[in-house]
Amino acid sequence: MLTITQALYDRIVEHARADHPDEACGVVAGPEGGGRPERFIPMLNAARSPTFYEFDSTDLLKLYREMDDRDEEPVVIYHSHTATEAYPSRTDISYANEPGAHYVLVSTADTDGSGPFQFRSFRIVDGEVTEEEVKVVPAY
Amino acid sequence: MAIEVRIPTILRTYTDGQKAVEGSGATLDELFKDLETRHAGIRERLVDDKGELRRFVNVYLNDEDVRFLGGIATELGDGDSVTILPAVAGGAV
């Protein structure tokens, strides 16, 4: 289960909405081993694409150095799908390299009448996808 | 020639959980071959069957992405630090 504050949830959604129709991506870091997302870090989608995202390689190094220095890990790795449902694609699965992270997908396709806004969370380990419950709380 | 190599979480199964290991080599290619002798299987995760760096693995020499240096042929020196980070990427298709 992913437990996340309303404030962080809102920031992820805002970022996804702001970058639509391109995919938005980012991380919520938290203390190593604690499993609690705390620090919201929106990332630039170097691909600037409606169907693909990739963290810029220089930003990626900076991000991991910073997390290392602060004894943090990427608790949540999020990105948006802009025309399809919030479910990991084959591409998402093959590039998922953080077995300890919650992979959050949001879909901004709702504006096109395909149903309510979607915010879903998954574990992706060794190519296997497991959806988990998302619990939004006022504070930890 | 000692070079520090920082290993990402996903590849620590090859390094007994160590975050950083030491290796040697005059180029990145030699370094990865050297790592392979002690951490069998790791090289295949970094280079493809043509011997080039895999597209979705980022390798940095000190602070610089080696793609902007010499790629797999990038020259290394004593005391250099190499960081390996898988790309964070994906998308709808």
mmCIF file of all heavy atoms in Angstrom, chain A residues 23 32 50-55 57-58 60-61 64-65 68 77 79 81 84 89 91-92 95 97-99, chain B residues 6 9-10 19 45 55-56 58 60 62-65 68 81 83 85-93:
data_model
loop_
_atom_site.group_PDB
_atom_site.id
_atom_site.type_symbol
_atom_site.label_atom_id
_atom_site.label_comp_id
_atom_site.label_asym_id
_atom_site.label_seq_id
_atom_site.Cartn_x
_atom_site.Cartn_y
_atom_site.Cartn_z
ATOM 1 N N GLU A 23 4.156 14.002 -21.296
ATOM 2 C CA GLU A 23 4.203 13.235 -20.062
ATOM 3 C C GLU A 23 5.032 13.998 -19.032
ATOM 4 O O GLU A 23 6.069 14.571 -19.348
ATOM 5 C CB GLU A 23 4.812 11.844 -20.310
ATOM 6 C CG GLU A 23 3.912 10.961 -21.159
ATOM 7 C CD GLU A 23 4.293 9.476 -21.114
ATOM 8 O OE1 GLU A 23 5.205 9.096 -20.357
ATOM 9 O OE2 GLU A 23 3.664 8.697 -21.851
ATOM 10 N N GLU A 32 15.758 6.682 3.740
ATOM 11 C CA GLU A 32 16.083 5.330 3.325
ATOM 12 C C GLU A 32 15.462 4.297 4.273
ATOM 13 O O GLU A 32 15.596 4.403 5.483
ATOM 14 C CB GLU A 32 17.614 5.163 3.338
ATOM 15 C CG GLU A 32 18.162 4.537 2.086
ATOM 16 C CD GLU A 32 19.675 4.578 2.043
ATOM 17 O OE1 GLU A 32 20.252 5.653 2.347
ATOM 18 O OE2 GLU A 32 20.264 3.566 1.718
ATOM 19 N N PRO A 50 4.544 13.205 -25.711
ATOM 20 C CA PRO A 50 3.268 12.752 -25.146
ATOM 21 C C PRO A 50 3.232 11.244 -24.897
ATOM 22 O O PRO A 50 2.296 10.756 -24.278
ATOM 23 C CB PRO A 50 2.240 13.163 -26.217
ATOM 24 C CG PRO A 50 3.000 13.343 -27.462
ATOM 25 C CD PRO A 50 4.431 13.631 -27.101
ATOM 26 N N THR A 51 4.252 10.522 -25.364
ATOM 27 C CA THR A 51 4.213 9.065 -25.214
ATOM 28 C C THR A 51 5.473 8.480 -24.577
ATOM 29 O O THR A 51 5.624 7.265 -24.481
ATOM 30 C CB THR A 51 4.035 8.373 -26.587
ATOM 31 O OG1 THR A 51 5.079 8.840 -27.458
ATOM 32 C CG2 THR A 51 2.691 8.677 -27.194
ATOM 33 N N PHE A 52 6.397 9.353 -24.140
ATOM 34 C CA PHE A 52 7.630 8.829 -23.556
ATOM 35 C C PHE A 52 8.176 9.818 -22.531
ATOM 36 O O PHE A 52 7.960 11.020 -22.664
ATOM 37 C CB PHE A 52 8.690 8.601 -24.653
ATOM 38 C CG PHE A 52 9.847 7.756 -24.197
ATOM 39 C CD1 PHE A 52 9.695 6.393 -24.014
ATOM 40 C CD2 PHE A 52 11.082 8.338 -23.908
ATOM 41 C CE1 PHE A 52 10.750 5.607 -23.561
ATOM 42 C CE2 PHE A 52 12.151 7.557 -23.452
ATOM 43 C CZ PHE A 52 11.974 6.191 -23.294
ATOM 44 N N TYR A 53 8.826 9.286 -21.517
ATOM 45 C CA TYR A 53 9.518 10.183 -20.596
ATOM 46 C C TYR A 53 10.878 9.604 -20.262
ATOM 47 O O TYR A 53 11.084 8.385 -20.289
ATOM 48 C CB TYR A 53 8.718 10.423 -19.305
ATOM 49 C CG TYR A 53 8.842 9.314 -18.280
ATOM 50 C CD1 TYR A 53 9.764 9.394 -17.232
ATOM 51 C CD2 TYR A 53 8.051 8.175 -18.363
ATOM 52 C CE1 TYR A 53 9.887 8.385 -16.286
ATOM 53 C CE2 TYR A 53 8.166 7.158 -17.426
ATOM 54 C CZ TYR A 53 9.084 7.269 -16.385
ATOM 55 O OH TYR A 53 9.201 6.259 -15.473
ATOM 56 N N GLU A 54 11.811 10.490 -20.002
ATOM 57 C CA GLU A 54 13.125 10.070 -19.527
ATOM 58 C C GLU A 54 13.715 11.228 -18.736
ATOM 59 O O GLU A 54 13.721 12.368 -19.210
ATOM 60 C CB GLU A 54 14.046 9.720 -20.706
ATOM 61 C CG GLU A 54 15.419 9.264 -20.237
ATOM 62 C CD GLU A 54 16.317 8.727 -21.358
ATOM 63 O OE1 GLU A 54 15.952 8.835 -22.543
ATOM 64 O OE2 GLU A 54 17.399 8.218 -21.020
ATOM 65 N N PHE A 55 14.213 10.940 -17.529
ATOM 66 C CA PHE A 55 14.883 11.977 -16.755
ATOM 67 C C PHE A 55 16.146 12.373 -17.521
ATOM 68 O O PHE A 55 16.856 11.513 -18.044
ATOM 69 C CB PHE A 55 15.322 11.452 -15.374
ATOM 70 C CG PHE A 55 14.204 11.180 -14.393
ATOM 71 C CD1 PHE A 55 12.867 11.216 -14.763
ATOM 72 C CD2 PHE A 55 14.514 10.888 -13.063
ATOM 73 C CE1 PHE A 55 11.854 10.957 -13.841
ATOM 74 C CE2 PHE A 55 13.507 10.636 -12.135
ATOM 75 C CZ PHE A 55 12.184 10.660 -12.521
ATOM 76 N N SER A 57 19.873 13.102 -18.155
ATOM 77 C CA SER A 57 20.942 12.317 -17.525
ATOM 78 C C SER A 57 21.742 13.122 -16.500
ATOM 79 O O SER A 57 22.149 12.588 -15.468
ATOM 80 C CB SER A 57 21.846 11.687 -18.581
ATOM 81 O OG SER A 57 22.818 12.590 -19.031
ATOM 82 N N THR A 58 21.948 14.408 -16.754
ATOM 83 C CA THR A 58 22.679 15.235 -15.782
ATOM 84 C C THR A 58 21.833 15.452 -14.520
ATOM 85 O O THR A 58 22.332 15.362 -13.397
ATOM 86 C CB THR A 58 23.040 16.603 -16.416
ATOM 87 O OG1 THR A 58 23.709 16.348 -17.647
ATOM 88 C CG2 THR A 58 23.949 17.409 -15.507
ATOM 89 N N LEU A 60 19.596 13.451 -13.475
ATOM 90 C CA LEU A 60 19.505 12.146 -12.810
ATOM 91 C C LEU A 60 20.672 11.945 -11.847
ATOM 92 O O LEU A 60 20.490 11.517 -10.698
ATOM 93 C CB LEU A 60 19.496 11.032 -13.865
ATOM 94 C CG LEU A 60 19.405 9.599 -13.348
ATOM 95 C CD1 LEU A 60 18.003 9.285 -12.847
ATOM 96 C CD2 LEU A 60 19.782 8.599 -14.445
ATOM 97 N N LEU A 61 21.879 12.286 -12.317
ATOM 98 C CA LEU A 61 23.066 12.146 -11.462
ATOM 99 C C LEU A 61 22.944 13.064 -10.249
ATOM 100 O O LEU A 61 23.193 12.655 -9.117
ATOM 101 C CB LEU A 61 24.336 12.484 -12.251
ATOM 102 C CG LEU A 61 25.636 12.412 -11.443
ATOM 103 C CD1 LEU A 61 25.932 10.982 -10.996
ATOM 104 C CD2 LEU A 61 26.821 12.953 -12.238
ATOM 105 N N TYR A 64 20.406 11.615 -7.722
ATOM 106 C CA TYR A 64 20.874 10.471 -6.935
ATOM 107 C C TYR A 64 21.975 10.861 -5.955
ATOM 108 O O TYR A 64 22.048 10.332 -4.857
ATOM 109 C CB TYR A 64 21.278 9.308 -7.856
ATOM 110 C CG TYR A 64 20.083 8.440 -8.181
ATOM 111 C CD1 TYR A 64 19.177 8.812 -9.173
ATOM 112 C CD2 TYR A 64 19.810 7.282 -7.458
ATOM 113 C CE1 TYR A 64 18.053 8.051 -9.446
ATOM 114 C CE2 TYR A 64 18.688 6.507 -7.729
ATOM 115 C CZ TYR A 64 17.822 6.893 -8.723
ATOM 116 O OH TYR A 64 16.703 6.130 -8.977
ATOM 117 N N ARG A 65 22.831 11.797 -6.348
ATOM 118 C CA ARG A 65 23.865 12.298 -5.435
ATOM 119 C C ARG A 65 23.219 12.946 -4.217
ATOM 120 O O ARG A 65 23.612 12.722 -3.077
ATOM 121 C CB ARG A 65 24.714 13.358 -6.139
ATOM 122 C CG ARG A 65 25.679 12.799 -7.137
ATOM 123 C CD ARG A 65 27.105 12.760 -6.578
ATOM 124 N NE ARG A 65 27.965 11.980 -7.450
ATOM 125 C CZ ARG A 65 28.683 12.494 -8.428
ATOM 126 N NH1 ARG A 65 28.664 13.793 -8.648
ATOM 127 N NH2 ARG A 65 29.430 11.715 -9.178
ATOM 128 N N ASP A 68 21.598 10.471 -1.994
ATOM 129 C CA ASP A 68 22.654 9.759 -1.289
ATOM 130 C C ASP A 68 23.164 10.568 -0.093
ATOM 131 O O ASP A 68 23.287 10.059 1.016
ATOM 132 C CB ASP A 68 23.800 9.502 -2.283
ATOM 133 C CG ASP A 68 24.504 8.198 -1.994
ATOM 134 O OD1 ASP A 68 23.820 7.276 -1.515
ATOM 135 O OD2 ASP A 68 25.722 8.114 -2.244
ATOM 136 N N ILE A 77 8.189 6.976 -7.698
ATOM 137 C CA ILE A 77 8.600 7.461 -9.025
ATOM 138 C C ILE A 77 7.300 7.616 -9.811
ATOM 139 O O ILE A 77 6.565 6.647 -9.987
ATOM 140 C CB ILE A 77 9.544 6.461 -9.725
ATOM 141 C CG1 ILE A 77 10.836 6.289 -8.898
ATOM 142 C CG2 ILE A 77 9.875 6.946 -11.144
ATOM 143 C CD1 ILE A 77 11.777 5.220 -9.428
ATOM 144 N N HIS A 79 4.890 9.184 -13.124
ATOM 145 C CA HIS A 79 4.799 9.808 -14.444
ATOM 146 C C HIS A 79 3.359 9.768 -14.916
ATOM 147 O O HIS A 79 2.523 9.080 -14.332
ATOM 148 C CB HIS A 79 5.764 9.180 -15.453
ATOM 149 C CG HIS A 79 5.361 7.860 -16.026
ATOM 150 N ND1 HIS A 79 5.499 6.682 -15.334
ATOM 151 C CD2 HIS A 79 4.829 7.523 -17.229
ATOM 152 C CE1 HIS A 79 5.085 5.675 -16.093
ATOM 153 N NE2 HIS A 79 4.664 6.158 -17.251
ATOM 154 N N HIS A 81 0.415 9.368 -18.028
ATOM 155 C CA HIS A 81 0.022 8.949 -19.370
ATOM 156 C C HIS A 81 -1.028 9.949 -19.809
ATOM 157 O O HIS A 81 -1.938 10.271 -19.057
ATOM 158 C CB HIS A 81 -0.553 7.529 -19.347
ATOM 159 C CG HIS A 81 0.495 6.463 -19.221
ATOM 160 N ND1 HIS A 81 0.204 5.121 -19.067
ATOM 161 C CD2 HIS A 81 1.849 6.545 -19.243
ATOM 162 C CE1 HIS A 81 1.330 4.431 -18.996
ATOM 163 N NE2 HIS A 81 2.347 5.263 -19.094
ATOM 164 N N THR A 84 -3.843 7.548 -22.373
ATOM 165 C CA THR A 84 -4.204 6.168 -22.053
ATOM 166 C C THR A 84 -4.377 6.017 -20.545
ATOM 167 O O THR A 84 -4.135 6.951 -19.793
ATOM 168 C CB THR A 84 -3.106 5.187 -22.529
ATOM 169 O OG1 THR A 84 -1.853 5.606 -21.962
ATOM 170 C CG2 THR A 84 -2.993 5.168 -24.044
ATOM 171 N N SER A 89 2.865 0.497 -18.966
ATOM 172 C CA SER A 89 2.981 -0.040 -20.320
ATOM 173 C C SER A 89 4.151 -1.018 -20.355
ATOM 174 O O SER A 89 4.908 -1.136 -19.395
ATOM 175 C CB SER A 89 3.265 1.104 -21.291
ATOM 176 O OG SER A 89 4.544 1.644 -21.005
ATOM 177 N N THR A 91 6.803 -0.606 -21.993
ATOM 178 C CA THR A 91 8.009 0.227 -21.848
ATOM 179 C C THR A 91 8.269 0.529 -20.373
ATOM 180 O O THR A 91 9.400 0.423 -19.897
ATOM 181 C CB THR A 91 7.818 1.574 -22.585
ATOM 182 O OG1 THR A 91 7.133 1.341 -23.797
ATOM 183 C CG2 THR A 91 9.130 2.260 -22.848
ATOM 184 N N ASP A 92 7.218 0.918 -19.666
ATOM 185 C CA ASP A 92 7.367 1.226 -18.234
ATOM 186 C C ASP A 92 7.956 0.034 -17.494
ATOM 187 O O ASP A 92 8.818 0.181 -16.629
ATOM 188 C CB ASP A 92 6.003 1.552 -17.610
ATOM 189 C CG ASP A 92 5.407 2.845 -18.130
ATOM 190 O OD1 ASP A 92 6.189 3.723 -18.526
ATOM 191 O OD2 ASP A 92 4.171 2.966 -18.120
ATOM 192 N N TYR A 95 11.764 -0.704 -18.276
ATOM 193 C CA TYR A 95 12.751 0.238 -17.739
ATOM 194 C C TYR A 95 12.603 0.466 -16.238
ATOM 195 O O TYR A 95 13.246 1.360 -15.693
ATOM 196 C CB TYR A 95 12.675 1.577 -18.476
ATOM 197 C CG TYR A 95 12.926 1.434 -19.957
ATOM 198 C CD1 TYR A 95 12.156 2.119 -20.882
ATOM 199 C CD2 TYR A 95 13.938 0.595 -20.416
ATOM 200 C CE1 TYR A 95 12.371 1.968 -22.246
ATOM 201 C CE2 TYR A 95 14.150 0.436 -21.770
ATOM 202 C CZ TYR A 95 13.370 1.119 -22.678
ATOM 203 O OH TYR A 95 13.581 0.958 -24.024
ATOM 204 N N ASN A 97 13.588 0.089 -12.840
ATOM 205 C CA ASN A 97 14.825 -0.388 -12.218
ATOM 206 C C ASN A 97 14.907 -0.129 -10.722
ATOM 207 O O ASN A 97 15.980 -0.233 -10.139
ATOM 208 C CB ASN A 97 16.023 0.260 -12.908
ATOM 209 C CG ASN A 97 16.391 -0.462 -14.188
ATOM 210 O OD1 ASN A 97 16.547 -1.681 -14.195
ATOM 211 N ND2 ASN A 97 16.496 0.269 -15.279
ATOM 212 N N GLU A 98 13.805 0.254 -10.124
ATOM 213 C CA GLU A 98 13.809 0.484 -8.681
ATOM 214 C C GLU A 98 12.764 -0.431 -8.030
ATOM 215 O O GLU A 98 11.620 -0.039 -7.816
ATOM 216 C CB GLU A 98 13.497 1.963 -8.362
ATOM 217 C CG GLU A 98 14.610 2.939 -8.724
ATOM 218 C CD GLU A 98 15.833 2.843 -7.801
ATOM 219 O OE1 GLU A 98 15.827 2.040 -6.843
ATOM 220 O OE2 GLU A 98 16.803 3.582 -8.064
ATOM 221 N N PRO A 99 13.186 -1.659 -7.696
ATOM 222 C CA PRO A 99 12.213 -2.614 -7.153
ATOM 223 C C PRO A 99 11.606 -2.171 -5.823
ATOM 224 O O PRO A 99 10.548 -2.648 -5.437
ATOM 225 C CB PRO A 99 13.024 -3.906 -6.987
ATOM 226 C CG PRO A 99 14.449 -3.508 -7.099
ATOM 227 C CD PRO A 99 14.514 -2.240 -7.880
ATOM 228 N N ARG B 6 30.538 3.333 -8.502
ATOM 229 C CA ARG B 6 29.310 3.369 -7.698
ATOM 230 C C ARG B 6 28.206 2.573 -8.396
ATOM 231 O O ARG B 6 27.921 2.789 -9.564
ATOM 232 C CB ARG B 6 28.883 4.807 -7.430
ATOM 233 C CG ARG B 6 29.986 5.612 -6.706
ATOM 234 C CD ARG B 6 29.496 6.941 -6.214
ATOM 235 N NE ARG B 6 28.517 6.801 -5.150
ATOM 236 C CZ ARG B 6 28.855 6.613 -3.875
ATOM 237 N NH1 ARG B 6 30.120 6.557 -3.514
ATOM 238 N NH2 ARG B 6 27.912 6.497 -2.965
ATOM 239 N N THR B 9 21.256 0.361 -6.935
ATOM 240 C CA THR B 9 20.551 -0.682 -6.176
ATOM 241 C C THR B 9 20.288 -1.933 -7.012
ATOM 242 O O THR B 9 20.563 -3.052 -6.570
ATOM 243 C CB THR B 9 19.192 -0.135 -5.679
ATOM 244 O OG1 THR B 9 19.415 1.151 -5.110
ATOM 245 C CG2 THR B 9 18.571 -1.053 -4.644
ATOM 246 N N ILE B 10 19.785 -1.738 -8.216
ATOM 247 C CA ILE B 10 19.354 -2.863 -9.048
ATOM 248 C C ILE B 10 20.517 -3.797 -9.420
ATOM 249 O O ILE B 10 20.309 -4.970 -9.701
ATOM 250 C CB ILE B 10 18.624 -2.338 -10.317
ATOM 251 C CG1 ILE B 10 17.891 -3.440 -11.085
ATOM 252 C CG2 ILE B 10 19.549 -1.577 -11.243
ATOM 253 C CD1 ILE B 10 16.507 -3.695 -10.608
ATOM 254 N N LYS B 19 27.598 -0.833 -2.250
ATOM 255 C CA LYS B 19 27.216 0.366 -2.993
ATOM 256 C C LYS B 19 28.321 0.823 -3.922
ATOM 257 O O LYS B 19 28.074 1.537 -4.893
ATOM 258 C CB LYS B 19 26.936 1.518 -2.022
ATOM 259 C CG LYS B 19 25.596 1.439 -1.337
ATOM 260 C CD LYS B 19 25.427 2.688 -0.471
ATOM 261 C CE LYS B 19 24.011 2.808 0.043
ATOM 262 N NZ LYS B 19 23.778 4.066 0.742
ATOM 263 N N ARG B 45 24.801 -6.397 -18.199
ATOM 264 C CA ARG B 45 23.766 -5.422 -17.863
ATOM 265 C C ARG B 45 24.148 -4.014 -18.334
ATOM 266 O O ARG B 45 23.322 -3.118 -18.384
ATOM 267 C CB ARG B 45 23.532 -5.412 -16.337
ATOM 268 C CG ARG B 45 23.113 -6.752 -15.769
ATOM 269 C CD ARG B 45 21.720 -7.141 -16.234
ATOM 270 N NE ARG B 45 20.712 -6.186 -15.806
ATOM 271 C CZ ARG B 45 20.041 -6.264 -14.654
ATOM 272 N NH1 ARG B 45 20.262 -7.270 -13.827
ATOM 273 N NH2 ARG B 45 19.146 -5.349 -14.331
ATOM 274 N N ARG B 55 21.544 1.535 -24.128
ATOM 275 C CA ARG B 55 20.885 2.824 -24.287
ATOM 276 C C ARG B 55 20.330 3.360 -22.963
ATOM 277 O O ARG B 55 20.382 4.546 -22.691
ATOM 278 C CB ARG B 55 19.776 2.675 -25.347
ATOM 279 C CG ARG B 55 18.706 3.730 -25.384
ATOM 280 C CD ARG B 55 19.190 5.076 -25.908
ATOM 281 N NE ARG B 55 18.086 6.034 -25.938
ATOM 282 C CZ ARG B 55 17.739 6.815 -24.918
ATOM 283 N NH1 ARG B 55 18.397 6.740 -23.785
ATOM 284 N NH2 ARG B 55 16.736 7.652 -25.018
ATOM 285 N N PHE B 56 19.757 2.489 -22.140
ATOM 286 C CA PHE B 56 19.103 2.981 -20.936
ATOM 287 C C PHE B 56 19.914 2.742 -19.664
ATOM 288 O O PHE B 56 19.363 2.552 -18.586
ATOM 289 C CB PHE B 56 17.677 2.434 -20.833
ATOM 290 C CG PHE B 56 16.785 3.071 -21.863
ATOM 291 C CD1 PHE B 56 16.427 2.394 -23.014
ATOM 292 C CD2 PHE B 56 16.361 4.381 -21.698
ATOM 293 C CE1 PHE B 56 15.631 3.004 -23.986
ATOM 294 C CE2 PHE B 56 15.560 4.999 -22.656
ATOM 295 C CZ PHE B 56 15.204 4.317 -23.801
ATOM 296 N N ASN B 58 22.966 4.822 -17.793
ATOM 297 C CA ASN B 58 23.806 6.021 -17.802
ATOM 298 C C ASN B 58 25.070 5.753 -17.008
ATOM 299 O O ASN B 58 25.008 5.215 -15.906
ATOM 300 C CB ASN B 58 23.068 7.204 -17.183
ATOM 301 C CG ASN B 58 21.859 7.616 -17.990
ATOM 302 O OD1 ASN B 58 21.909 7.655 -19.217
ATOM 303 N ND2 ASN B 58 20.767 7.891 -17.318
ATOM 304 N N TYR B 60 28.635 7.685 -15.717
ATOM 305 C CA TYR B 60 29.269 8.995 -15.552
ATOM 306 C C TYR B 60 30.710 8.812 -15.114
ATOM 307 O O TYR B 60 31.011 7.995 -14.248
ATOM 308 C CB TYR B 60 28.547 9.819 -14.475
ATOM 309 C CG TYR B 60 27.063 9.940 -14.710
ATOM 310 C CD1 TYR B 60 26.191 8.968 -14.238
ATOM 311 C CD2 TYR B 60 26.536 11.028 -15.407
ATOM 312 C CE1 TYR B 60 24.823 9.070 -14.457
ATOM 313 C CE2 TYR B 60 25.167 11.137 -15.625
ATOM 314 C CZ TYR B 60 24.310 10.154 -15.146
ATOM 315 O OH TYR B 60 22.959 10.256 -15.356
ATOM 316 N N ASN B 62 33.319 10.796 -13.182
ATOM 317 C CA ASN B 62 33.228 11.913 -12.262
ATOM 318 C C ASN B 62 31.834 12.550 -12.413
ATOM 319 O O ASN B 62 30.869 11.896 -12.062
ATOM 320 C CB ASN B 62 34.407 12.861 -12.437
ATOM 321 C CG ASN B 62 35.729 12.090 -12.267
ATOM 322 O OD1 ASN B 62 35.851 11.263 -11.365
ATOM 323 N ND2 ASN B 62 36.685 12.318 -13.140
ATOM 324 N N ASP B 63 31.679 13.736 -12.992
ATOM 325 C CA ASP B 63 30.340 14.322 -13.102
ATOM 326 C C ASP B 63 29.792 14.346 -14.517
ATOM 327 O O ASP B 63 28.765 14.954 -14.779
ATOM 328 C CB ASP B 63 30.357 15.771 -12.573
ATOM 329 C CG ASP B 63 30.487 15.802 -11.074
ATOM 330 O OD1 ASP B 63 30.005 14.850 -10.421
ATOM 331 O OD2 ASP B 63 31.076 16.765 -10.557
ATOM 332 N N GLU B 64 30.488 13.693 -15.414
ATOM 333 C CA GLU B 64 30.156 13.840 -16.835
ATOM 334 C C GLU B 64 29.606 12.535 -17.419
ATOM 335 O O GLU B 64 30.181 11.471 -17.220
ATOM 336 C CB GLU B 64 31.441 14.229 -17.572
ATOM 337 C CG GLU B 64 31.256 14.679 -18.986
ATOM 338 C CD GLU B 64 31.155 16.189 -19.121
ATOM 339 O OE1 GLU B 64 31.903 16.899 -18.404
ATOM 340 O OE2 GLU B 64 30.360 16.629 -19.948
ATOM 341 N N ASP B 65 28.483 12.628 -18.123
ATOM 342 C CA ASP B 65 27.915 11.484 -18.829
ATOM 343 C C ASP B 65 28.926 11.035 -19.894
ATOM 344 O O ASP B 65 29.335 11.842 -20.730
ATOM 345 C CB ASP B 65 26.593 11.931 -19.492
ATOM 346 C CG ASP B 65 25.823 10.775 -20.119
ATOM 347 O OD1 ASP B 65 26.442 9.784 -20.552
ATOM 348 O OD2 ASP B 65 24.582 10.881 -20.191
ATOM 349 N N PHE B 68 28.984 11.934 -23.628
ATOM 350 C CA PHE B 68 29.551 13.198 -24.120
ATOM 351 C C PHE B 68 31.075 13.161 -24.081
ATOM 352 O O PHE B 68 31.736 14.134 -24.397
ATOM 353 C CB PHE B 68 29.024 14.382 -23.307
ATOM 354 C CG PHE B 68 27.519 14.453 -23.295
ATOM 355 C CD1 PHE B 68 26.809 14.390 -22.104
ATOM 356 C CD2 PHE B 68 26.813 14.569 -24.481
ATOM 357 C CE1 PHE B 68 25.418 14.441 -22.099
ATOM 358 C CE2 PHE B 68 25.423 14.615 -24.492
ATOM 359 C CZ PHE B 68 24.730 14.552 -23.298
ATOM 360 N N SER B 81 36.288 8.459 -10.535
ATOM 361 C CA SER B 81 35.112 7.824 -9.983
ATOM 362 C C SER B 81 34.093 7.623 -11.099
ATOM 363 O O SER B 81 33.826 8.535 -11.876
ATOM 364 C CB SER B 81 34.538 8.719 -8.877
ATOM 365 O OG SER B 81 33.282 8.233 -8.482
ATOM 366 N N THR B 83 30.194 6.383 -11.984
ATOM 367 C CA THR B 83 28.873 6.145 -11.394
ATOM 368 C C THR B 83 27.968 5.527 -12.448
ATOM 369 O O THR B 83 27.898 6.019 -13.577
ATOM 370 C CB THR B 83 28.254 7.475 -10.910
ATOM 371 O OG1 THR B 83 29.139 8.075 -9.963
ATOM 372 C CG2 THR B 83 26.905 7.241 -10.240
ATOM 373 N N LEU B 85 24.085 4.558 -13.347
ATOM 374 C CA LEU B 85 22.683 4.782 -12.971
ATOM 375 C C LEU B 85 21.774 4.358 -14.116
ATOM 376 O O LEU B 85 21.906 4.866 -15.225
ATOM 377 C CB LEU B 85 22.426 6.268 -12.688
ATOM 378 C CG LEU B 85 22.919 6.880 -11.379
ATOM 379 C CD1 LEU B 85 22.601 8.368 -11.368
ATOM 380 C CD2 LEU B 85 22.267 6.190 -10.191
ATOM 381 N N PRO B 86 20.860 3.445 -13.858
ATOM 382 C CA PRO B 86 19.908 3.111 -14.912
ATOM 383 C C PRO B 86 19.049 4.330 -15.210
ATOM 384 O O PRO B 86 18.724 5.102 -14.304
ATOM 385 C CB PRO B 86 19.047 2.004 -14.307
ATOM 386 C CG PRO B 86 19.641 1.667 -12.997
ATOM 387 C CD PRO B 86 20.584 2.750 -12.607
ATOM 388 N N ALA B 87 18.674 4.523 -16.460
ATOM 389 C CA ALA B 87 17.798 5.631 -16.817
ATOM 390 C C ALA B 87 16.470 5.458 -16.100
ATOM 391 O O ALA B 87 16.027 4.339 -15.852
ATOM 392 C CB ALA B 87 17.559 5.642 -18.318
ATOM 393 N N VAL B 88 15.865 6.586 -15.721
ATOM 394 C CA VAL B 88 14.488 6.524 -15.245
ATOM 395 C C VAL B 88 13.648 6.963 -16.442
ATOM 396 O O VAL B 88 13.672 8.128 -16.840
ATOM 397 C CB VAL B 88 14.270 7.420 -14.019
ATOM 398 C CG1 VAL B 88 12.824 7.339 -13.548
ATOM 399 C CG2 VAL B 88 15.206 6.993 -12.887
ATOM 400 N N ALA B 89 12.983 5.991 -17.031
ATOM 401 C CA ALA B 89 12.308 6.238 -18.299
ATOM 402 C C ALA B 89 11.111 5.315 -18.445
ATOM 403 O O ALA B 89 10.956 4.341 -17.714
ATOM 404 C CB ALA B 89 13.279 6.014 -19.456
ATOM 405 N N GLY B 90 10.268 5.645 -19.398
ATOM 406 C CA GLY B 90 9.089 4.830 -19.676
ATOM 407 C C GLY B 90 8.174 5.620 -20.572
ATOM 408 O O GLY B 90 8.593 6.581 -21.206
ATOM 409 N N GLY B 91 6.916 5.214 -20.575
ATOM 410 C CA GLY B 91 5.981 5.955 -21.405
ATOM 411 C C GLY B 91 4.828 5.095 -21.838
ATOM 412 O O GLY B 91 4.806 3.896 -21.585
ATOM 413 N N ALA B 92 3.887 5.751 -22.481
ATOM 414 C CA ALA B 92 2.614 5.103 -22.761
ATOM 415 C C ALA B 92 2.707 3.996 -23.815
ATOM 416 O O ALA B 92 1.857 3.123 -23.870
ATOM 417 C CB ALA B 92 1.591 6.153 -23.193
ATOM 418 N N VAL B 93 3.733 4.057 -24.671
ATOM 419 C CA VAL B 93 3.801 3.014 -25.710
ATOM 420 C C VAL B 93 5.057 2.172 -25.584
ATOM 421 O O VAL B 93 6.008 2.566 -24.939
ATOM 422 C CB VAL B 93 3.749 3.619 -27.127
ATOM 423 C CG1 VAL B 93 2.356 4.116 -27.430
ATOM 424 C CG2 VAL B 93 4.775 4.714 -27.312
#
